[in-house]
Amino acid sequence: MNESRRRFIRVVGSTGVIFAAAPTLAGCSQQMPEAAIEPWKGPGQEADARRWILGYAILAPHSHNLQSWIVDLSKPDEILLRCDLERLLPETDPYSRQIMMSHGTFLEVLDIAARERGLRADITLFPDGPFGPDKLDQRPVARIRLTPDAAVAKDPLFAQILKRHTNRSLYDAGRPVPAEAWKAMADAVKPNPLRFGFVGADRPDALKQHRAIAAEAWRIELVTPRTIMESFKVLRVGAGEVAKHRDGLSLLDPTVVLLERVGLFDRSKAPAPDSSATTGQIKDFGKKLDSTPGFLWMVTEGNDRVTQVNAGRAYTRVQLAATAHGVSMQPLQQALQEYPEQAGPYAGIRRLLDAPQPAQTVQMWARAGYAPPVGPAPRRGVAAHVVRA
């Protein structure tokens, strides 16, 4: 077996490498298509303030980069936000908690951008009533009314919107997150009613516990066929697919692209749990966890839809504050997901963070540290999200 074939088997056998490859795959011969990342240049001289603001909002983080935001602009000075029910994660996010958090990230970036234009964004969540705990529907997530207001203060985090990228690389284990960066992240979530916590390099025993839970949760996702397949469905292999879809998880590794073109990369079935590809990616992610000098988390009282959206807003502020200090972040949602196979890590992270159910919910858990910069993930552009002009 030649080395190219061996590398292919190591690369394509699990979602681990997919997530690792998702940002930009710097150094690969296939480059991220310019059209796919054009929105990261900003909206430019957009006459309609709403579209200008949306040009930033669509850059918010979203689970699996699904970008499930739909906006209605039919009423002047108003934005009606709905969820695209075709862009959900029923296997890994069966109750759409992460999807609602992803709508919160959108709303927070929208609010920050509105302030930059001297506009007050009055956001009413679930104006027709909130979704139930089990599934979403066509009712709006939020109604946003924009009003010029000279008293609106600009948010310094605006400067970080175009720089914010999720970084799934190896971190610098020898460079701990400094106290001032942790403080900036903690301050960024105030006055949100949630508990922000973190652990750094000064607590090696605690770091070991975090790494163990994250590793087991990742292993479970890799060896559970339906959860791997959920990622495969939104995997975009090669510059052509990335440019066509401008969403999901981008894989530009030239070996995989070549094998895809000749029909040797089968995305129709999950790899075997005991395959060398799967075990290799488990080991690869373990190295990334071992390189991580810090973890952070956010815990809320309860878990209703409003709480989920507001948790997403808070997470955005944390990541923007981290970006301002050069700190990279990667969410570790696997152990927080509510599908049966994750029951062990799901209980373990709650015990570790002293977040007993049903009173409290861990809404976010992430690794944090310093890493070489990565480029942006694809975005579909404002027009793709507008359902009515």
Side-chain angles (χ1 to χ4, degrees):
M1 184 183 294
N2 62 36
E3 179 56 30
S4 177
R5 179 63 176 170
R6 289 191 188 97
R7 187 158 72 94
F8 164 69
I9 292 173
R10 290 196 301 268
V11 166
V12 303
S14 72
T15 52
V17 75
I18 295 170
F19 291 120
T24 59
L25 291 163
C28 293
S29 59
Q30 283 229 349
Q31 296 183 348
M32 178 66 72
E34 284 295 323
I37 55 175
E38 182 72 20
W40 288 94
K41 295 179 180 178
Q45 301 299 315
E46 173 60 63
D48 186 333
R50 296 174 300 174
R51 290 180 178 269
W52 187 90
I53 291 166
L54 290 170
Y56 288 98
I58 63 168
L59 305 180
H62 194 299
S63 298
H64 276 50
N65 193 26
L66 287 183
Q67 305 169 46
S68 58
W69 311 299
I70 296 176
V71 295
D72 184 330
L73 304 180
S74 59
K75 293 186 178 179
D77 304 317
E78 182 176 299
I79 300 171
L80 194 66
L81 173 64
R82 287 191 171 89
C83 178
D84 185 342
L85 301 181
E86 299 299 316
R87 291 175 175 269
L88 304 179
L89 297 166
E91 301 299 342
T92 55
D93 186 29
Y95 304 114
S96 295
R97 181 187 61 83
Q98 294 176 70
I99 294 293
M100 285 295 92
M101 286 187 66
S102 296
H103 280 68
T105 66
F106 180 95
L107 289 170
E108 185 60 32
V109 177
L110 182 152
D111 186 36
I112 293 171
R115 290 174 176 274
E116 194 69 14
R117 288 286 292 250
L119 296 171
R120 185 181 72 250
D122 294 314
I123 299 174
T124 302
L125 294 179
F126 305 106
D128 294 342
F131 308 130
D134 295 330
K135 63 180 181 179
L136 312 184
D137 56 47
Q138 292 288 352
R139 286 175 292 176
V141 176
R143 176 179 290 112
I144 306 101
R145 291 193 171 95
L146 299 171
T147 306
D149 188 344
V152 167
K154 292 186 178 182
D155 194 319
L157 293 178
F158 176 80
Q160 307 305 322
I161 293 174
L162 300 182
K163 303 174 185 177
R164 180 214 64 79
H165 308 309
T166 297
N167 194 321
R168 300 173 174 89
S169 307
L170 286 165
Y171 291 176
D172 186 345
R175 188 181 178 190
V177 178
E180 58 268 26
W182 288 125
K183 183 179 185 302
M185 288 183 259
D187 288 346
V189 302
K190 296 177 180 177
N192 289 282
L194 54 79
R195 171 163 57 93
F196 174 85
F198 64 90
V199 60
D202 57 328
R203 295 178 58 198
D205 290 343
L207 285 181
K208 185 176 180 180
Q209 291 177 286
H210 280 263
R211 290 167 179 158
I213 295 171
E216 175 61 7
W218 190 267
R219 185 197 67 79
I220 290 169
E221 188 144 314
L222 295 183
V223 303
T224 304
R226 70 181 191 284
T227 59
I228 293 175
M229 291 307 299
E230 187 163 77
S231 294
F232 275 20
K233 289 176 183 177
V234 295
L235 175 61
R236 315 307 182 194
V237 179
E241 286 191 10
V242 172
K244 177 182 177 180
H245 296 282
R246 294 188 294 167
D247 64 359
L249 308 169
S250 304
L251 183 54
L252 300 176
D253 183 280
T255 302
V256 182
V257 173
L258 176 61
L259 291 168
E260 166 74 18
R261 288 175 180 172
V262 298
L264 294 178
F265 178 16
D266 185 0
R267 282 180 271 176
S268 68
K269 60 183 179 182
D274 60 352
S275 68
S276 60
T278 299
T279 57
Q281 289 308 312
I282 290 171
K283 182 182 295 185
D284 177 74
F285 190 64
K287 292 178 180 178
K288 293 179 180 180
L289 290 173
D290 289 344
S291 78
T292 302
F295 294 85
L296 63 87
W297 56 89
M298 301 189 315
V299 178
T300 62
E301 295 291 333
N303 191 34
D304 59 66
R305 296 305 189 182
V306 171
T307 297
Q308 292 167 2
V309 171
N310 286 334
R313 296 190 66 170
Y315 171 68
T316 299
R317 299 192 63 80
V318 169
Q319 193 178 21
L320 292 173
T323 301
H325 284 263
V327 175
S328 296
M329 290 172 54
Q330 177 190 2
L332 299 172
Q333 285 284 2
Q334 287 74 27
L336 310 185
Q337 293 170 162
E338 302 93 339
Y339 60 93
E341 290 86 348
Q342 287 287 7
Y346 187 88
I349 190 60
R350 280 154 178 75
R351 285 194 299 268
L352 183 60
L353 303 182
D354 191 23
Q357 284 190 298
Q360 298 184 358
T361 301
V362 184
Q363 300 287 357
M364 178 55 69
W365 181 37
R367 55 193 289 251
Y370 290 94
V374 295
R379 285 296 188 272
R380 295 188 294 141
V382 171
H385 298 275
V386 178
V387 294
R388 192 179 305 169

